[in-house]
Amino acid sequence: MSKYGMQAIFTAKTGQRDVLANILLEAAAGLQSIKDCELYIVSVPETDPNAVWVTEVWSSSEAHKASLSLEETKAAIQRAKPLIDGIEAVELKPLGGKGIIS
Amino acid sequence: MSKYGMQAIFTAKTGQRDVLANILLEAAAGLQSIKDCELYIVSVPETDPNAVWVTEVWSSSEAHKASLSLEETKAAIQRAKPLIDGIEAVELKPLGGKGIIS
């Protein structure tokens, strides 16, 4: 079973980036106890004041899908939705490297 | 001092993606002992047979810059260069999350 990676780029409504980033950081905190979630990193690019990047690695795509039905995840999505103008998401297959379980 | 993130997308010459990915995985192995390198993950997108994504997080941009002068890094760059058609790179400021040192 191969790992599942996701690079999501959220475009926040003007002036809402930091509020959105905090909601996503809270979601990351909630995932600390979820073994199948290896990475959930919230970053911002220097070049776009409205963008928030979330980099995820999961043990499998099934584990990622299952996480979407967690009450905490659903609550975070509801809180974040009104702050979001757009989402780009690229699915990735992590091959390995430093910082994920090999 | 804030962490430094980089999302690089390499476009390999046709048919060279796997060779390029292996060189980058070797580079990642060489970074295991570099404390300032928190993440160096090599992934491939399902949608582009020529792309290799490298997701990096460093303790600082200075640490990232310093790594570029390591002999191993320079050797990997020389080996990879002939296999590469293009590189896109986005600098990121990691705010936190699961999988990096908070």
Side-chain angles (χ1 to χ4, degrees), chain B residues 10-44:
Chain B
F10 296 87
T11 301
K13 292 193 188 319
T14 306
Q16 296 300 317
R17 190 210 36 204
D18 293 343
V19 180
L20 176 58
N22 284 330
I23 291 171
L24 294 167
L25 285 168
E26 282 175 37
L31 292 169
Q32 290 288 355
S33 58
I34 308 291
K35 197 174 57 59
D36 284 322
C37 174
E38 293 187 33
L39 277 190
Y40 189 103
I41 299 173
V42 181
S43 304
V44 290

